[in-house]
Amino acid sequence: MKNGLWTLLAQPYSGEDFFLPDLCSSVAVFTLVVLAELLVLTWVLAVPSAKGFDWLSLAMASLFVQWIVLLSAALLCRLRGWIQRRALWIAIAVCLLVVVGLTLIFTVLADWVLKQGMLGAPQLQAGQMLRHGLIALIMTGLLLRYFYLQQQWQRQHEAELKARLQSLQSRIQPHFLFNSLNSIVSLIGSAPDRAESAVLDLADLFRANLAEVGGVATWEEERHLCEGYLRIEHYRLGERLQVEWQCDLPAHTPMPLLTLQPLLENAILHGLQPSLTGGNIRISAGLHGGVVELLVSNSCPSLTNNHEGSRMALDNIRARMNVLFGPQAKLEAWREGERFFSRLVYPVSHTSSILQRSH
């Protein structure tokens, strides 16, 4: 246990997400100011006063503490990059030294200005400095511990998120594998060029299926995969498969891997394949106000066919989108006459962090 703790403290902090937050951000500064003011208010309320609430003490203590908090945040913000590359115990020691050092300096300056009237040399009062230094040490230690636990919770949350995505993504095994292999075998003798192209398209699909968990690609990459999948199915179905693309989605729009492909697979498996004459699939996609809207419609037999595999695939896509994009991501499916519709909607305005995690 001792060796394990020393090993942790002796090494630089692992990971890009350093436990000390970016204290230059407005949110972090506002949070520190509010917490410091609450601490000052608690201290003033705890000190009894015969004249009631001491507003002067609150003002002076607030000025004293806020100067320390703001300067400490500014120094630690500038030192954050340097601290992150040092051993963990050095990072903690530097944080403590900065806050405690500034506290002692302001203790001497406050006593010199308020009690000595800036006359003569500043006097060091050991008792007062020791008291303020211990308070700063304890509060800084508690705050660093909070930052560390918060960052560990964030890591655990991201690990659970990746595990969930892995569980969901592992279920995306294209059902057309055996049909595709049979099509390739039949093409080897009659059309070897098509057989080779089909093998390459199949390899691309399975490479995407084995890509990094939670991978967020682009619309251009997803469409390329889907076009390869449709070529494979066209070798099998021939003219029974007709596809129309009506898309004005920017090529670099973020889109999770294998999102459109399962929708096309459902359209073929439960809509076109049961029909002797086949049918058509229409794919439309657009970006409106930071929201991606993807609509897939296909002709389907007159008899309703609620295939269990279709519901499982839609539930899987819905779960993946909710994990990556939150509750704003929606997947709807309905039938109108002899056409079946699948509509996927999700926001792309806050996907920068997702893109960073996925590459």
Side-chain angles (χ1 to χ4, degrees), residues 53-75:
F53 188 78
D54 193 346
W55 291 99
L56 180 61
S57 295
L58 177 64
M60 298 304 295
S62 298
L63 182 63
F64 177 77
V65 172
Q66 295 297 354
W67 267 108
I68 296 174
V69 168
L70 292 175
L71 283 178
S72 298
L75 283 175

Side-chain angles (χ1 to χ4, degrees), residues 7-29:
T7 301
L8 175 65
L9 293 175
Q11 296 178 351
Y13 192 80
S14 60
E16 298 179 357
D17 47 347
F18 191 44
F19 77 94
L20 183 66
D22 183 9
L23 299 179
C24 290
S25 66
S26 57
V27 176
V29 172

Side-chain angles (χ1 to χ4, degrees), residues 45-277:
L45 290 174
V47 177
S49 176
K51 299 180 181 180
F53 188 78
D54 193 346
W55 291 99
L56 180 61
S57 295
L58 177 64
M60 298 304 295
S62 298
L63 182 63
F64 177 77
V65 172
Q66 295 297 354
W67 267 108
I68 296 174
V69 168
L70 292 175
L71 283 178
S72 298
L75 283 175
L76 291 177
C77 172
R78 298 300 300 270
L79 293 173
R80 187 173 183 268
W82 181 87
I83 293 174
Q84 187 172 0
R85 298 189 296 270
R86 300 301 182 268
L88 184 58
W89 74 270
I90 295 179
I92 296 174
V94 169
C95 294
L96 294 175
L97 285 175
V98 167
V99 179
V100 174
L102 287 174
T103 301
L104 296 180
I105 291 173
F106 274 95
T107 298
V108 174
L109 290 177
D111 185 72
W112 181 55
V113 172
L114 297 177
K115 294 184 179 181
Q116 297 181 232
M118 302 178 66
L119 299 175
Q123 297 181 359
L124 304 180
Q125 297 186 10
Q128 187 181 41
M129 293 181 64
L130 179 62
R131 184 169 63 254
H132 288 181
L134 286 176
I135 293 174
L137 183 66
I138 293 172
M139 297 307 300
T140 305
L142 291 175
L143 192 59
L144 290 177
R145 178 62 175 170
Y146 167 75
F147 287 151
Y148 183 82
L149 292 178
Q150 184 185 47
Q151 196 277 334
Q152 291 298 309
W153 175 84
Q154 180 95 18
R155 279 189 167 185
Q156 182 180 359
H157 178 70
E158 290 183 357
E160 292 174 354
L161 180 68
K162 285 190 175 182
R164 185 180 176 191
L165 283 171
Q166 185 176 19
S167 174
L168 291 170
Q169 186 167 323
S170 64
R171 300 175 191 173
I172 306 179
Q173 300 294 339
H175 301 161
F176 63 93
L177 172 60
F178 294 108
N179 289 331
S180 301
L181 292 176
N182 290 332
S183 299
I184 292 171
V185 170
S186 65
L187 290 171
I188 290 176
S190 59
D193 293 340
R194 287 189 174 185
E196 181 181 1
S197 176
V199 170
L200 294 176
D201 290 333
L202 191 62
D204 288 340
L205 282 165
F206 275 93
R207 188 180 298 112
N209 189 49
L210 298 175
E212 184 178 351
V213 174
V216 178
T218 62
W219 163 245
E220 183 179 24
E221 295 170 335
E222 179 70 8
R223 177 167 178 167
H224 174 73
L225 289 174
C226 291
E227 288 174 344
Y229 164 69
L230 291 173
R231 281 195 297 269
I232 294 174
E233 290 290 29
H234 190 268
Y235 297 149
R236 182 170 64 92
L237 298 175
E239 297 304 319
R240 294 170 59 196
L241 173 60
Q242 301 294 327
V243 181
E244 300 176 23
W245 294 87
Q246 300 174 350
C247 304
D248 57 356
L249 197 61
H252 296 289
T253 302
M255 178 171 290
L257 286 169
L258 298 178
T259 298
L260 175 59
Q261 185 272 330
L263 298 179
L264 298 177
E265 186 176 347
N266 277 338
I268 294 175
L269 184 63
H270 307 298
L272 277 65
Q273 185 172 289
S275 175
L276 295 177
T277 58

